[in-house]
Structure formats: C-alpha cells, structure tokens
Amino acid sequence: MVDYKKIGLVNTRAMFAKAVDGGYAIPAFNFNNMEQMQAIIMAAVETKSPVILQVSKGAREYANPTLLRYMAEGAVEYAKELGCKHPEIVLHLDHGDSFETCKNCIDMGFSSVMYDGSALPYEENIRISRQVVEYAHKYDVTVECELGVLAGVEDEVSAEESHYTKPEEVIDFASRTGCDSLAISIGTSHGAYKFKPEQCTVDPQTGRLVPPPLAFDVLEAVEKKLPGFPIVLHGSSSVPQDEVDTINANGGALKAAVGIPEEQLRKAAKSAVCKINIDSDSRLAMTAAIRKHMAEHPDHFDPRQYLKPARESMKKMYIHKIINVLGSNNKLQEN
Ligand code: G3H
Ligand code: 13P
Ligand code: ZN
C-alpha cells in the first residue's frame, strides 16, 4: 500500500473547494508518456497552477501501470527542481471501469480516482460508486463519479448517444454515493470529432463548423440542486483548427474535427465546474508538431529531434489553457 501523501501528491478536496469559491477550474490533463508529463509539469510550474495528472485505462495498458505511478512520483520532484517549492499535483485515475481497477490505483498511490458507472443502470452506478467511495475514503483518496452519458467514440470510452445529466437525480446520487465530485453531461464529448457535421452550423466567414452550444441550463439546474458541489466536465478539448490544419498540410487526414469553443469552457470554469478534462488537444499539438518537423527535416531520425518541438508545443498549449481558459494560474496555496 503506497501512501500518496508520502510521495508528495495531494487529493482534490481543498483544491476543488478553492476553485469553486474562486470561479476557476483545475486542469486535468491526460498523460501516457514522458514528454506529455514534462510539458504538463513545466506548464503548471511556470503558471503556478495546481494540476491533475490523469491516467486512463488505455494509458496504463500502453505505458505500464507501475511506470506511470513512478512517473507521477518523479513529477513531484521534477516540479520542485523547476522551482516550485510546494507543488499541488493530483494523480488521478480517469474513467475507472470497476471497483478492482479503482482499488488497484488507490493501493498504488493514486490520490484521486474516477469510477465511471455512467453507462450502468442508475442503482448499479450508485452501488459500485458507493463501494469505491467507502474504500477510497479510508485512505483519504477523493472520488469522482459520473451521471449522464457523453457521446463520442474514443478507444476506451465510447457511447453512441449522449444523455444529459438529469438535475432531479443529482442530490440522491451525490448523497447516496458520498462522491467528492460529479462529472456531468451537458453536451461535451470525447475525442477530436465531438459533433457530426449535421449537428453544426457553418461560419459563413471561415467555412468552419460551429458546434451547438453546451447545455448551460442543465449546469445551472445541477448547481441549484447541489450548491457549491464540485462539478467536472469531461470531453473538453477545443480541437484548435490551426493544429488540424498543420496536421492536414503535412500528410494528415483529419476531416471535420471539431471541439468545444474555449469561451464556453471559460464560462463553465467560472461556475461550480472545477475540473476540466483535456486530452485530445494534447494529442493534436503533439501530432501537428511531429508531422511538421518530419516534413521539414526528412533526414532526421533521432526521436529527440522531433519530440522536443512536440513537447514545446504541448507546453504552450497547456499554458494557454491554464491562463486563458481555466484561470488556474497563480492559484497554489503556497509559493
Ligand atoms: O476520456 C478519455 C481520455 O481521452 C483517455 O483516452 O482511453 O484513449 O487513453 P484513452
Ligand atoms: P477530450 O477528448 O475532449 O480531450 O476529453 C478528455 C477527457 O474527458 C478525459 O477523461
Ligand atoms: Zn473523459
């Protein structure tokens, strides 16, 4: 049993309370490899932001669970080395699919887990969520649960259709599960293809697809039912069109990729939404930088040559999100 506090990680409790009060959101960035992790930590340190390092089931399969857990431990030391005396880093399981997966992560030193029972019948979702919460709280690990279904198809997280969270269920769900935060569905979705072209309008000036707005009425109704309770948004990449263009100009073929406009995320971050999940934008930044570098330097074959600009590009993107979208810069308790 690894005590996350002993390796310098923190849970989400104080972080979320401060974010809800302060009208900003904590960035939850997924990582699968060293370059992503370095870029996230460099960005968090430079902006003096708390940060959630997220690990999905797919990431654990790709990189190895033990390695990822030690990378997170290394991340704390790395942040200190970069000059942050008291880093606030959460190691979080993203979309835990069973009690066993959540328990395994808690035992390995995660400071926060998500149990995602959103595709299950309501009572079953409550039953397993409660089981995870009871185990996690013994070790002061915080738990995110989910109500409502996000659309979108991603390797490990898929749903044909979205169902907005029903505000009339949230009090019963939060009180019976004892969860520390609640992921809700208000129109975001996973991946780089968040909306079908027929769901969008077309901007006459640019010819770009404009997605339908998020259901802020659902968010407001949830907030009224659970005042001050930490709310989480998944599927919150914005799919920057300049990155999509760079990928396509350098041999890629991303058609009709569209994300959540940043102004809408900014608005959400000012509400009880205190954790915003971003993964696809990192994938796009990395891929765009690598494709561009490869096209410009066909003679390069040392991975450091193309991973360095890729890491720089992700870092720039994370800094932009922290300062201009989530507003979590300069929000460390100390430093
Ligand atoms: O929510 C999904 C995350 O983007 C993780 O994706 O399961 O492909 O690692 P992944
Ligand atoms: P994106 O695919 O929009 O980046 O969402 C990531 C996410 O929700 C991770 O849980
Ligand atoms: Zn997600």
Side-chain angles (χ1 to χ4, degrees):
M1 182 82 208
V2 180
D3 179 354
Y4 70 82
K5 291 176 187 171
K6 290 210 172 112
I7 53 177
L9 296 166
V10 297
N11 70 21
T12 58
R13 198 167 289 118
M15 204 181 263
F16 283 176
K18 199 169 164 229
V20 172
D21 272 2
Y24 62 93
I26 309 291
F29 297 135
N30 290 68
F31 85 107
N32 294 261
N33 58 47
M34 185 186 72
E35 285 74 16
Q36 276 179 315
M37 190 274 272
Q38 289 174 312
I40 294 168
I41 298 301
M42 287 192 279
V45 169
E46 273 185 35
T47 57
K48 297 185 169 40
S49 172
V51 73
I52 298 174
L53 286 175
Q54 299 202 134
V55 169
S56 70
K57 187 179 167 217
R60 296 180 94 220
E61 282 162 10
Y62 170 75
N64 178 279
T66 307
L67 266 183
L68 286 177
R69 165 251 180 279
Y70 279 99
M71 280 170 77
E73 187 171 343
V76 174
E77 297 310 313
Y78 180 51
K80 288 182 190 163
E81 219 170 88
L82 292 177
C84 180
K85 285 200 190 96
H86 302 283
E88 288 172 33
I89 301 174
V90 174
L91 176 59
H92 176 78
L93 168 67
D94 192 24
H95 294 283
D97 59 349
S98 67
F99 170 76
E100 287 69 30
T101 308
C102 294
K103 178 180 181 303
N104 181 266
C105 287
I106 293 164
D107 294 352
M108 280 186 110
F110 280 57
S111 56
S112 173
V113 293
M114 175 191 194
Y115 171 67
D116 180 359
S118 60
L120 297 175
Y122 183 71
E123 287 298 328
E124 188 66 352
N125 186 2
I126 289 188
R127 187 181 68 75
I128 305 173
S129 296
R130 176 79 219 153
Q131 193 189 8
V132 172
V133 169
E134 277 173 4
Y135 186 77
H137 283 184
K138 279 193 217 162
Y139 302 99
D140 204 21
V141 169
T142 39
V143 183
E144 172 186 329
C145 295
E146 178 161 343
L147 249 191
V149 178
L150 271 69
V153 179
E154 196 66 12
D155 294 350
E156 298 289 341
V157 185
S158 65
E160 283 298 306
E161 261 183 83
S162 76
H163 306 283
Y164 288 164
T165 303
K166 295 184 184 129
E168 61 275 19
E169 288 180 346
V170 298
I171 296 179
D172 181 63
F173 186 85
S175 59
R176 285 173 64 202
T177 59
C179 63
D180 300 283
S181 59
L182 182 65
I184 62 168
S185 170
I186 58 166
T188 62
S189 71
H190 291 104
Y193 300 93
K194 298 193 187 296
F195 303 98
K196 298 189 187 95
E198 55 270 28
Q199 291 176 284
C200 304
T201 51
V202 177
D203 181 332
Q205 309 262 294
T206 60
R208 304 266 197 207
L209 292 173
V210 179
L214 297 180
F216 280 100
D217 53 332
V218 174
L219 174 59
E220 277 159 30
V222 168
E223 281 189 87
K224 272 204 186 112
K225 298 276 184 191
L226 293 173
F229 194 81
I231 301 299
V232 177
L233 285 190
H234 281 249
S236 297
S237 278
S238 296
V239 188
Q241 294 299 298
D242 54 337
E243 303 288 18
V244 173
D245 290 347
T246 302
I247 290 171
N248 289 340
N250 291 285
L254 299 184
K255 301 239 160 55
V258 59
I260 311 295
E262 290 185 337
E263 318 80 72
Q264 294 194 34
L265 297 169
R266 187 80 204 98
K267 182 174 165 188
K270 288 183 177 153
S271 73
V273 169
C274 63
K275 172 177 180 270
I276 292 188
N277 287 11
I278 294 171
D279 186 2
S280 299
D281 284 354
S282 169
R283 298 176 182 193
L284 291 166
M286 187 173 205
T287 302
I290 291 174
R291 277 195 179 276
K292 185 165 179 288
H293 186 94
M294 295 292 210
E296 288 169 359
H297 306 277
D299 56 325
H300 283 184
F301 66 94
D302 178 345
R304 292 173 295 189
Q305 290 169 313
Y306 52 85
L307 289 176
K308 202 168 168 195
R311 187 171 61 194
E312 263 314 299
S313 175
M314 288 188 286
K315 177 185 163 189
K316 204 167 138 215
M317 184 278 291
Y318 293 132
I319 289 178
H320 163 70
K321 297 285 178 184
I322 287 171
I323 296 178
N324 303 315
V325 185
L326 287 91
S328 63
N329 48 312
N330 298 314
K331 296 297 192 298
L332 292 174
Q333 310 269 8
E334 292 177 65
N335 276 305

